[in-house]
mmCIF file of all heavy atoms in Angstrom:
data_model
loop_
_atom_site.group_PDB
_atom_site.id
_atom_site.type_symbol
_atom_site.label_atom_id
_atom_site.label_comp_id
_atom_site.label_asym_id
_atom_site.label_seq_id
_atom_site.Cartn_x
_atom_site.Cartn_y
_atom_site.Cartn_z
ATOM 1 N N TRP A 333 -4.542 -13.922 83.806
ATOM 2 C CA TRP A 333 -5.152 -14.460 82.583
ATOM 3 C C TRP A 333 -5.017 -13.458 81.464
ATOM 4 O O TRP A 333 -5.180 -12.277 81.663
ATOM 5 C CB TRP A 333 -6.632 -14.754 82.817
ATOM 6 C CG TRP A 333 -6.860 -15.895 83.761
ATOM 7 C CD1 TRP A 333 -7.254 -15.811 85.037
ATOM 8 C CD2 TRP A 333 -6.687 -17.260 83.467
ATOM 9 N NE1 TRP A 333 -7.347 -17.039 85.616
ATOM 10 C CE2 TRP A 333 -6.997 -17.975 84.641
ATOM 11 C CE3 TRP A 333 -6.290 -18.006 82.344
ATOM 12 C CZ2 TRP A 333 -6.938 -19.355 84.732
ATOM 13 C CZ3 TRP A 333 -6.247 -19.365 82.454
ATOM 14 C CH2 TRP A 333 -6.570 -20.038 83.630
ATOM 15 N N ILE A 337 -9.258 -11.940 73.005
ATOM 16 C CA ILE A 337 -9.196 -11.143 71.779
ATOM 17 C C ILE A 337 -10.569 -10.560 71.503
ATOM 18 O O ILE A 337 -11.579 -11.243 71.550
ATOM 19 C CB ILE A 337 -8.734 -12.009 70.601
ATOM 20 C CG1 ILE A 337 -7.324 -12.540 70.876
ATOM 21 C CG2 ILE A 337 -8.784 -11.240 69.292
ATOM 22 C CD1 ILE A 337 -6.818 -13.474 69.821
ATOM 23 N N ASP A 356 -26.015 -12.946 55.925
ATOM 24 C CA ASP A 356 -25.267 -13.804 54.987
ATOM 25 C C ASP A 356 -25.714 -15.260 55.096
ATOM 26 O O ASP A 356 -25.812 -15.973 54.093
ATOM 27 C CB ASP A 356 -23.763 -13.695 55.269
ATOM 28 C CG ASP A 356 -23.228 -12.321 54.938
ATOM 29 O OD1 ASP A 356 -23.901 -11.608 54.154
ATOM 30 O OD2 ASP A 356 -22.148 -11.964 55.449
ATOM 31 N N ALA A 370 -33.894 -26.262 41.864
ATOM 32 C CA ALA A 370 -33.597 -26.189 40.434
ATOM 33 C C ALA A 370 -33.133 -27.546 39.908
ATOM 34 O O ALA A 370 -33.505 -27.951 38.793
ATOM 35 C CB ALA A 370 -32.536 -25.123 40.169
ATOM 36 N N ALA A 405 -39.605 -51.642 13.360
ATOM 37 C CA ALA A 405 -40.357 -51.434 14.602
ATOM 38 C C ALA A 405 -39.520 -51.803 15.816
ATOM 39 O O ALA A 405 -39.531 -51.097 16.839
ATOM 40 C CB ALA A 405 -41.637 -52.260 14.570
ATOM 41 N N GLU A 424 -43.742 -56.145 25.801
ATOM 42 C CA GLU A 424 -44.843 -56.994 25.327
ATOM 43 C C GLU A 424 -45.033 -56.851 23.819
ATOM 44 O O GLU A 424 -45.243 -57.833 23.098
ATOM 45 C CB GLU A 424 -46.130 -56.610 26.073
ATOM 46 C CG GLU A 424 -47.277 -57.598 25.888
ATOM 47 C CD GLU A 424 -48.151 -57.226 24.709
ATOM 48 O OE1 GLU A 424 -48.183 -56.029 24.361
ATOM 49 O OE2 GLU A 424 -48.778 -58.131 24.131
ATOM 50 N N SER A 432 -43.885 -62.972 15.328
ATOM 51 C CA SER A 432 -44.209 -62.859 13.905
ATOM 52 C C SER A 432 -42.992 -63.156 13.038
ATOM 53 O O SER A 432 -43.124 -63.632 11.909
ATOM 54 C CB SER A 432 -44.735 -61.453 13.598
ATOM 55 O OG SER A 432 -45.915 -61.183 14.325
ATOM 56 N N GLU A 435 -38.950 -65.851 15.881
ATOM 57 C CA GLU A 435 -37.806 -65.854 16.800
ATOM 58 C C GLU A 435 -38.358 -66.083 18.207
ATOM 59 O O GLU A 435 -38.606 -65.147 18.968
ATOM 60 C CB GLU A 435 -37.034 -64.547 16.699
ATOM 61 C CG GLU A 435 -36.436 -64.302 15.315
ATOM 62 C CD GLU A 435 -35.637 -63.015 15.238
ATOM 63 O OE1 GLU A 435 -35.403 -62.393 16.301
ATOM 64 O OE2 GLU A 435 -35.239 -62.627 14.116
ATOM 65 N N GLN A 448 -42.187 -59.279 34.414
ATOM 66 C CA GLN A 448 -41.427 -58.838 35.583
ATOM 67 C C GLN A 448 -41.723 -57.386 35.919
ATOM 68 O O GLN A 448 -41.801 -57.019 37.094
ATOM 69 C CB GLN A 448 -39.936 -59.023 35.328
ATOM 70 C CG GLN A 448 -39.495 -60.486 35.277
ATOM 71 C CD GLN A 448 -38.032 -60.635 34.924
ATOM 72 O OE1 GLN A 448 -37.295 -59.639 34.820
ATOM 73 N NE2 GLN A 448 -37.590 -61.865 34.714
ATOM 74 N N ARG A 462 -48.318 -67.430 24.694
ATOM 75 C CA ARG A 462 -48.236 -67.719 23.260
ATOM 76 C C ARG A 462 -46.790 -67.981 22.837
ATOM 77 O O ARG A 462 -46.531 -68.857 21.999
ATOM 78 C CB ARG A 462 -48.822 -66.547 22.474
ATOM 79 C CG ARG A 462 -50.331 -66.421 22.612
ATOM 80 C CD ARG A 462 -50.880 -65.228 21.847
ATOM 81 N NE ARG A 462 -52.345 -65.190 21.881
ATOM 82 C CZ ARG A 462 -53.085 -64.248 21.322
ATOM 83 N NH1 ARG A 462 -52.483 -63.234 20.684
ATOM 84 N NH2 ARG A 462 -54.403 -64.282 21.400
ATOM 85 N N PRO A 485 -60.698 -62.300 34.335
ATOM 86 C CA PRO A 485 -61.476 -63.531 34.111
ATOM 87 C C PRO A 485 -62.464 -63.444 32.954
ATOM 88 O O PRO A 485 -62.860 -64.477 32.416
ATOM 89 C CB PRO A 485 -62.212 -63.721 35.451
ATOM 90 C CG PRO A 485 -61.494 -62.865 36.431
ATOM 91 C CD PRO A 485 -60.947 -61.715 35.654
ATOM 92 N N GLU A 533 -32.813 -133.822 15.967
ATOM 93 C CA GLU A 533 -32.686 -135.271 15.821
ATOM 94 C C GLU A 533 -33.763 -135.852 14.908
ATOM 95 O O GLU A 533 -33.959 -137.074 14.857
ATOM 96 C CB GLU A 533 -32.758 -135.933 17.195
ATOM 97 C CG GLU A 533 -31.605 -135.533 18.112
ATOM 98 C CD GLU A 533 -31.665 -136.244 19.439
ATOM 99 O OE1 GLU A 533 -32.625 -137.005 19.642
ATOM 100 O OE2 GLU A 533 -30.765 -136.031 20.266
ATOM 101 N N ILE A 537 -33.350 -133.872 9.269
ATOM 102 C CA ILE A 537 -32.076 -133.256 9.625
ATOM 103 C C ILE A 537 -30.950 -134.275 9.526
ATOM 104 O O ILE A 537 -29.854 -133.982 9.029
ATOM 105 C CB ILE A 537 -32.143 -132.655 11.037
ATOM 106 C CG1 ILE A 537 -33.211 -131.545 11.104
ATOM 107 C CG2 ILE A 537 -30.792 -132.093 11.450
ATOM 108 C CD1 ILE A 537 -32.931 -130.382 10.209
ATOM 109 N N LYS A 555 -8.230 -135.072 -5.616
ATOM 110 C CA LYS A 555 -7.584 -133.776 -5.626
ATOM 111 C C LYS A 555 -7.276 -133.395 -7.062
ATOM 112 O O LYS A 555 -6.967 -134.247 -7.879
ATOM 113 C CB LYS A 555 -6.302 -133.796 -4.810
ATOM 114 C CG LYS A 555 -6.518 -134.065 -3.335
ATOM 115 C CD LYS A 555 -5.212 -134.042 -2.590
ATOM 116 C CE LYS A 555 -5.407 -134.317 -1.111
ATOM 117 N NZ LYS A 555 -4.148 -134.317 -0.364
ATOM 118 N N SER A 561 2.590 -126.595 -19.161
ATOM 119 C CA SER A 561 3.831 -127.060 -19.757
ATOM 120 C C SER A 561 4.630 -125.901 -20.288
ATOM 121 O O SER A 561 4.172 -124.756 -20.317
ATOM 122 C CB SER A 561 3.508 -128.052 -20.876
ATOM 123 O OG SER A 561 2.800 -127.402 -21.908
#
Side-chain angles (χ1 to χ4, degrees):
W333 292 105
I337 298 176
D356 293 340
E424 192 269 335
S432 299
E435 298 182 9
Q448 291 176 6
R462 290 179 175 179
E533 296 182 358
I537 298 298
K555 296 181 180 179
S561 64

